[in-house]
């Protein structure tokens, strides 16, 4: 008796098809399996001219594929890589890309279409049935495996000598630790790095558009200006990593409109400087609505009110944008009065 | 096999085969598989699209590695794309520009690679839906279902690490999002981020690290899973839809050689050809428009590749909860979406195990279900799809707001509520539709097919003529399984000893009633019902 014998659970329906495998219709049972339907010949099976037509179609598709490959090579050689052409309705496109793609596509597609047409019209389409066999092994095979395993385990003596077993398990459990330790030098420890930016007392606010230091009178009401600290050089890794924390946006708001007391204190003549890095997951905030003083992060739509301590008024961000305390130096340029007092960018476990 | 005594000289092909058989045993392999029978149905092609797009991705990916420089060294661009000349950028970005503008055919291969990746993940989801809704995941195929699901998850991450490699403005924003998500992990998040990026974001390591993950680690695992997946498909033999002559103990179709060799082999070329044509006419990921990544720059409408839209929706819809306690921050607004991502995705993956636990069915199933005949399963699958779509809408909330002139806040609120409500609605509606379709099948079996022919009876009444179904159809419509719901059974045995019923067993019985109890499936017509109605013909 095989282990695949259907269990006699009462709530399980009987497997269909078991009773009348072979497809003999039982007169009493109108729902019985009538067996495989008779094969219906295709036109190609009975009309030799139709079969010939199919043959020619297939051969033609394969020939078109060959021609397309030749065209591909020709296009590769002839068309310059920078040639731009107008193709309706695509507009202006790279001539080489279009030619190579279409010829390669045609060459491949025609092989496929030819093969499928061949299979559908000329190869036999008589359906045949194959028997399935249970996946699980019969009981005698299982018994043999179990006794083999028992014999092997017995000969290894692993059950009788637990000291060997336990120390082996210990050794195998510990050896991956070496691999784990080796990962240590993937990067430095976080330490205080996420808390500090290059902003410091006396650092001038450099306009990112002009590269020049800003004077208060350069900042108009209603405009959003992106600034970076002086001394940051573009085109270096340090720049990428530092600007990822130090990017700042400034706006000028009528001092009367500033609702937050500390914001007013840290501003200069209505000019407020806030971190440009969203406190959600770190996208740079770039959209400013001058009437409401709202800024919006284009990535996940967190919205902050710059006239009220940059608190979150919509979206997934969890806390306000950090403000940079600014003033004016002796020469009349805007300068930072220190670093941010809290970490910029997304929140993290140690942020507190 | 030809031997020395064999006077006839075997043809060259046979001699090569003999050589290989003596070393590899190919004749035994071919005996079992060369004329292996495959059943035919259009939906069985979906898995093939996955396989073929994966092969296309490997082929084009190898080509791209010949030209791509996975380095974040800053260089000044001097290639032939004029608008970027003189711009500082990473070598990764510069070499991607070179592939697009200076290598002949490089742009085509890049676009085939990217399009094939999008199609690969999409095809995997559709293939998974086919397997789910037809119950093809049932014993003995549960392990293969899990392999397939892992391939889907790995495919998503391979895609993500791949489109991050050019180090362009859009993908860099995506990597920043990933960094923010990692930072939200309690206790170890900051450390994982520093180890992954070799320090602070973006640092100068992640392109090279993503590169080895993208071209070696993940595809290597996927290749192994894929081979295992295919071996199991061969070993289990393909499932088939019920029909005349098709039973649980056979497989009806056409042989591998020649029909499926030609059909499946040809289909590879069809898929490749179509993707090549798409790559010729539809630009994808035009990094030259985006420019190199800078952490303080961003473009509006920043959207990930489509398959990352679902986690994107989670993170966009989640309210910004943050808990600050004892000097630490629990960033729930980001961490909850991070946890929900595998949970939502994995909900579909565990269904086969829940279903087999509820039914207690230990038999092999090789005949597919029609979705209507498993109403609860179908409703669950549709609910999952509905959830997925809600999150896709959430992930593209800015796009929807822009194109449909809607308020972005309204869309976000729709997603927040819809996350809970839409799957429930989808479940209820789908189940009702399934039950309705079951009733319709019953009607067709018992009363025949509506012919559309109207007959006027002598006394003036109009009736539609119904035509009895053929035995083929009757069999197809009535051959499916119908489980009877599980019962707790007597809790006191014949000796009066009380039997304890565990909470899990009670849950199982409850679920079983919900899936197979009264009102949750329409009992299929019995032979007696059929005969009674047929004998009293004319009563409609």
């Amino acid at each position: 008796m095989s282990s695949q014998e259907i269990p006699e659970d009462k709530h399980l329906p009987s497997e269909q098809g078991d009773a009348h495998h072979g497809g003999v219709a039982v007169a009493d049972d109108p729902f019985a399996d009538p067996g495989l339907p008779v094969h219906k010949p295709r036109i190609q099976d009975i009309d030799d001219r139709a079969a010939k037509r199919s043959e020619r179609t297939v051969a033609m598709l394969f020939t078109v594929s060959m021609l397309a490959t030749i065209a591909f090579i020709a296009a590769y050689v002839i068309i310059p890589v920078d040639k731009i052409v107008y193709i309706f309705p695509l507009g202006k496109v790279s001539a080489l890309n279009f030619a190579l793609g279409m010829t390669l596509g045609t060459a491949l597609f025609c092989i496929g279409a030819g093969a499928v047409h061949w299979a559908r019209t000329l190869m036999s389409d008589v359906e045949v049935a194959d028997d399935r066999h249970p996946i699980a092994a019969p009981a005698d095979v299982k018994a043999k495996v179990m006794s083999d395993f028992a014999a092997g385990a017995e000969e290894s003596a692993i059950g009788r000598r637990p000291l060997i077993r336990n120390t082996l398990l210990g050794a195998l459990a510990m050896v991956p630790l070496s691999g784990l330790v080796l990962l240590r030098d993937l990067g430095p420890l976080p330490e205080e790095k996420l808390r500090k930016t290059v902003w410091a007392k006396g650092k001038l606010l450099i306009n990112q558009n002009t590269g020049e230091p800003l004077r208060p009178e350069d900042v108009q009401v209603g405009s959003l200006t992106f600034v970076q600290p002086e001394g940051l050089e573009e085109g270096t890794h340090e720049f990428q990593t530092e600007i990822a924390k130090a990017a700042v946006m400034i706006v000028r708001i009528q001092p009367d409109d500033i609702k937050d007391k500390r914001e007013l204190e840290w501003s200069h003549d209505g000019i407020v400087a806030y971190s440009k890095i969203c406190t959600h997951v770190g996208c740079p905030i770039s959209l400013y609505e001058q009437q409401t003083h709202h800024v919006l992060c284009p990535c996940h739509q967190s919205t902050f009110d710059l006239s009220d301590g940059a608190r979150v008024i919509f979206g997934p961000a969890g806390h306000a944008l950090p403000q940079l305390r600014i003033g004016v130096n002796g020469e009349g340029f805007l300068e930072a009065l220190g670093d941010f007092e809290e970490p910029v960018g997304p929140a993290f476990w140690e942020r507190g | 096999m030809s031997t020395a005594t064999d006077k006839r000289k075997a043809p060259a092909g046979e001699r090569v085969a003999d050589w290989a058989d003596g070393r590899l045993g190919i004749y035994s392999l071919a005996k079992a598989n060369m004329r292996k029978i495959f059943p035919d149905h259009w939906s069985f092609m979906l898995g093939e699209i996955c396989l073929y797009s994966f092969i296309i991705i490997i082929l084009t990916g190898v080509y791209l590695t010949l030209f791509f420089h996975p380095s974040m060294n800053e260089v000044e661009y001097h290639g032939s794309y004029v608008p970027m000349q003189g711009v500082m950028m990473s070598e990764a970005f510069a070499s991607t520009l070179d592939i697009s503008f200076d290598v002949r055919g490089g742009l085509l291969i890049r676009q085939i690679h990217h399009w094939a990746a999008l199609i690969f993940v999409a095809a995997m989801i559709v293939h998974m839906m086919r397997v789910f809704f037809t119950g093809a995941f049932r014993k003995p195929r549960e392990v293969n279902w899990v392999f397939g699901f892992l391939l889907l998850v790995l495919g998503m991450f391979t895609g993500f690490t791949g489109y991050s490699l050019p180090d362009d403005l859009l993908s860099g924003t995506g990597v920043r999002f990933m960094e923010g998500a990692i930072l939200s992990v309690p206790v170890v998040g900051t450390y994982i981020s520093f180890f992954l990026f070799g320090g602070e974001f973006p640092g100068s390591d992640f392109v090279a690290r993503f590169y080895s993950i993208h071209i070696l680690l993940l595809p290597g695992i996927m290749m192994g899973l894929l081979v295992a997946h295919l071996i199991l498909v061969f070993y289990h033999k393909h499932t088939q839809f019920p029909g005349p002559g098709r039973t649980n103990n056979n497989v009806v179709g056409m042989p591998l050689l020649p029909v499926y060799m030609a059909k499946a082999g040809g289909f590879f070329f069809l898929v490749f050809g179509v993707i090549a044509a798409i790559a010729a006419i539809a630009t994808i990921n035009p990094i030259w428009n985006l420019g190199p990544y800078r952490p303080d720059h961003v473009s509006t409408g920043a959207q990930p590749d489509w398959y990352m839209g679902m986690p994107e929706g989670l993170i966009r819809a989640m309210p910004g909860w943050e808990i600050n306690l004892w000097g630490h921050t629990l960033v729930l607004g980001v961490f909850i979406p991070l946890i929900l991502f595998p949970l939502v995705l994995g909900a579909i993956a565990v269904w086969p195990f829940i279903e087999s636990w509820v039914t207690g069915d230990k038999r092999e199933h090789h005949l597919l279900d029609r979705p209507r005949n498993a109403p609860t399963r179908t409703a669950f699958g549709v609910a999952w799809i509905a959830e997925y779509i809600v999150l896709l809408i959430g992930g593209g909330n800015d796009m929807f707001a822009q194109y449909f002139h809607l308020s972005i806040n309204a869309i976000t609120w729709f997603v927040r509520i819809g996350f809970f409500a839409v799957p429930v609605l989808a479940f209820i509606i789908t189940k009702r539709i399934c039950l309705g379709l079951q009733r319709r099948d019953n009607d067709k079996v018992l009363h025949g097919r509506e012919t559309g022919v109207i007959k006027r009876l002598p006394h003036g009444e109009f009736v539609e003529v119904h035509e009895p179904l053929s035995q083929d159809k009757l069999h197809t419509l009535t051959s499916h399984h119908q489980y009877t719901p599980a019962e707790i059974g007597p809790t006191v045995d014949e000796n009066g000893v009380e039997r304890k019923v565990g909470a899990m067993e009670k849950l199982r019985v409850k679920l079983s009633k919900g899936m197979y109890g009264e009102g949750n499936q329409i009992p299929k017509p019995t032979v007696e019902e059929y005969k009674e109605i047929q004998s009293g013909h004319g009563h409609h």
Side-chain angles (χ1 to χ4, degrees), chain A residues 18 22 152 195 238 245 263 299:
Chain A
D18 284 356
R195 297 182 176 277
E238 295 70 46
K245 290 184 295 180
E263 178 179 0
C299 290

mmCIF file of all heavy atoms in Angstrom, chain A residues 18 22 152 195 238 245 263 299:
data_model
loop_
_atom_site.group_PDB
_atom_site.id
_atom_site.type_symbol
_atom_site.label_atom_id
_atom_site.label_comp_id
_atom_site.label_asym_id
_atom_site.label_seq_id
_atom_site.Cartn_x
_atom_site.Cartn_y
_atom_site.Cartn_z
ATOM 1 N N ASP A 18 -10.686 9.681 -10.381
ATOM 2 C CA ASP A 18 -10.119 8.419 -9.935
ATOM 3 C C ASP A 18 -10.924 7.229 -10.443
ATOM 4 O O ASP A 18 -10.379 6.244 -10.905
ATOM 5 C CB ASP A 18 -10.080 8.359 -8.400
ATOM 6 C CG ASP A 18 -8.947 9.220 -7.883
ATOM 7 O OD1 ASP A 18 -8.217 9.742 -8.736
ATOM 8 O OD2 ASP A 18 -8.815 9.351 -6.664
ATOM 9 N N GLY A 22 -9.418 6.840 -17.728
ATOM 10 C CA GLY A 22 -9.512 6.155 -19.002
ATOM 11 C C GLY A 22 -10.715 6.666 -19.764
ATOM 12 O O GLY A 22 -10.823 6.496 -20.960
ATOM 13 N N GLY A 152 23.618 4.686 9.674
ATOM 14 C CA GLY A 152 24.676 5.682 9.563
ATOM 15 C C GLY A 152 24.873 6.450 10.852
ATOM 16 O O GLY A 152 25.990 6.671 11.305
ATOM 17 N N ARG A 195 25.381 64.595 14.194
ATOM 18 C CA ARG A 195 24.938 65.770 14.961
ATOM 19 C C ARG A 195 25.621 67.046 14.507
ATOM 20 O O ARG A 195 25.211 68.134 14.872
ATOM 21 C CB ARG A 195 25.238 65.571 16.451
ATOM 22 C CG ARG A 195 24.485 64.413 17.016
ATOM 23 C CD ARG A 195 24.729 64.226 18.494
ATOM 24 N NE ARG A 195 23.884 63.155 18.951
ATOM 25 C CZ ARG A 195 22.608 63.302 19.286
ATOM 26 N NH1 ARG A 195 22.074 64.507 19.272
ATOM 27 N NH2 ARG A 195 21.879 62.279 19.659
ATOM 28 N N GLU A 238 34.002 65.138 -0.006
ATOM 29 C CA GLU A 238 33.651 65.860 1.217
ATOM 30 C C GLU A 238 32.471 66.770 0.929
ATOM 31 O O GLU A 238 31.576 66.908 1.746
ATOM 32 C CB GLU A 238 34.835 66.685 1.722
ATOM 33 C CG GLU A 238 36.037 65.861 2.181
ATOM 34 C CD GLU A 238 36.756 65.175 1.030
ATOM 35 O OE1 GLU A 238 37.002 65.829 0.004
ATOM 36 O OE2 GLU A 238 37.052 63.971 1.143
ATOM 37 N N LYS A 245 24.299 67.438 4.661
ATOM 38 C CA LYS A 245 23.811 67.884 5.979
ATOM 39 C C LYS A 245 23.694 69.402 6.058
ATOM 40 O O LYS A 245 22.866 69.933 6.795
ATOM 41 C CB LYS A 245 24.794 67.420 7.072
ATOM 42 C CG LYS A 245 24.792 65.929 7.310
ATOM 43 C CD LYS A 245 25.702 65.558 8.465
ATOM 44 C CE LYS A 245 27.151 65.865 8.154
ATOM 45 N NZ LYS A 245 28.049 65.506 9.260
ATOM 46 N N GLU A 263 12.124 81.397 16.703
ATOM 47 C CA GLU A 263 12.432 81.618 15.285
ATOM 48 C C GLU A 263 12.775 83.084 15.039
ATOM 49 O O GLU A 263 13.743 83.404 14.351
ATOM 50 C CB GLU A 263 11.242 81.200 14.411
ATOM 51 C CG GLU A 263 11.488 81.458 12.931
ATOM 52 C CD GLU A 263 10.340 81.023 12.038
ATOM 53 O OE1 GLU A 263 9.338 80.518 12.570
ATOM 54 O OE2 GLU A 263 10.460 81.190 10.819
ATOM 55 N N CYS A 299 9.558 64.822 -2.497
ATOM 56 C CA CYS A 299 9.624 63.352 -2.492
ATOM 57 C C CYS A 299 8.386 62.737 -1.848
ATOM 58 O O CYS A 299 7.737 61.881 -2.428
ATOM 59 C CB CYS A 299 10.869 62.879 -1.757
ATOM 60 S SG CYS A 299 12.380 63.239 -2.650
#
